[in-house]
Amino acid sequence: MAVPKRKMSRSNTRSRRAQWKATAPTLVLCPNRACGEMVLPHTACHNCGQYNGKQVLSV
């Protein structure tokens, strides 16, 4: 098992952790023109219940 030979300095640890970024989720407009809600891509709309032009959820 690999074990570090020296303690990692605070600046090296913090500069490595500085790359941990949370990205905002990608949102697209609902294809239903009457709805126009922002939804995740490739998912059914929670507002109108449509996916790919078809009603898939009863709202």
Side-chain angles (χ1 to χ4, degrees), residues 30-32 39-45 48-57:
C30 177
N32 182 8
V39 294
L40 292 170
H42 307 288
T43 56
C45 179
C48 65
Q50 288 194 359
Y51 178 73
N52 202 15
K54 298 173 189 157
Q55 190 71 26
V56 292
L57 297 174

Side-chain angles (χ1 to χ4, degrees), residues 4-22:
K5 194 166 267 206
R6 298 266 183 250
K7 180 178 179 179
M8 185 172 267
S9 68
R10 279 188 183 172
S11 65
N12 281 349
T13 303
R14 289 174 180 166
S15 68
R16 187 185 69 243
R17 287 184 183 152
Q19 302 305 315
W20 292 4
K21 297 183 185 85

